[in-house]
Amino acid sequence: LFVNKQHAINMSSFDNCNNITEIPENLFKNCVNAKYFSNTFYNCKNITSIPENLFKYNINATTFDSVFAESGITSIPENLFANNPNITAVNYLFRNCNHLSSIPENIISKCMSITPHFSVFAGCTSASNYSTIPAELK
């Protein structure tokens, strides 16, 4: 899909697209210069899982605002952002993901090291460990 997006800085978004049920793991593989992933899968209610290596090749990415907000995801891969050392914004990243079963500890620590960050997990109250999430991430 994005084979010719090697030089794109702003990634396209699929916001409000309920026809999408699955995200290919190598979707952004050719987008090596992408910096901004905002609203990428916002309000995609039928996406329930995120491939762990989705952003593996996007080492220049800085912004992940509202990427999965309002989506139907049920879990977050532990190392989703393991290859993204330049992240500066994760505002509303998983806001109102009401089907999450739990929130991985390393995702929390990654988000805590980024400032500012607003409402990263707001409304994710179904997650079993939601009560242990630091207030500044809610």
Side-chain angles (χ1 to χ4, degrees):
L1 182 62
F2 295 121
V3 71
N4 296 317
K5 292 267 192 175
Q6 298 94 336
H7 303 290
I9 293 174
N10 291 308
M11 284 313 305
S12 304
S13 72
F14 301 97
D15 56 328
N16 297 303
C17 188
N18 289 321
N19 292 328
I20 297 175
T21 57
E22 189 175 335
I23 304 170
E25 186 162 44
N26 290 316
L27 181 63
F28 301 119
K29 182 177 182 176
N30 295 312
C31 309
V32 294
N33 291 307
K35 288 188 176 187
Y36 308 106
F37 289 86
S38 295
N39 298 316
T40 312
F41 299 103
Y42 174 81
N43 202 32
C44 292
K45 301 287 188 200
N46 292 317
I47 294 175
T48 57
S49 64
I50 305 168
E52 185 161 24
N53 292 313
L54 182 62
F55 303 114
K56 179 179 180 177
Y57 302 98
N58 312 115
I59 60 170
N60 296 311
T62 61
T63 304
F64 288 93
D65 290 342
S66 299
V67 173
F68 298 104
E70 313 280 339
S71 71
I73 62 167
T74 58
S75 63
I76 303 168
E78 186 81 24
N79 294 307
L80 182 61
F81 300 112
N83 297 299
N84 310 107
N86 300 311
I87 298 175
T88 57
V90 292
N91 301 308
Y92 310 109
L93 179 60
F94 298 105
R95 182 186 68 203
N96 290 333
C97 288
N98 300 320
H99 303 289
L100 275 177
S101 57
S102 68
I103 300 169
E105 189 91 11
N106 76 326
I107 292 288
I108 296 168
S109 62
K110 179 73 174 174
C111 294
M112 301 254 329
S113 65
I114 299 165
T115 53
H117 49 260
F118 301 103
S119 302
V120 178
F121 300 104
C124 299
T125 55
S126 62
S128 60
N129 59 338
Y130 185 76
S131 63
T132 65
I133 302 301
E136 60 268 23
L137 296 177
K138 292 181 181 177

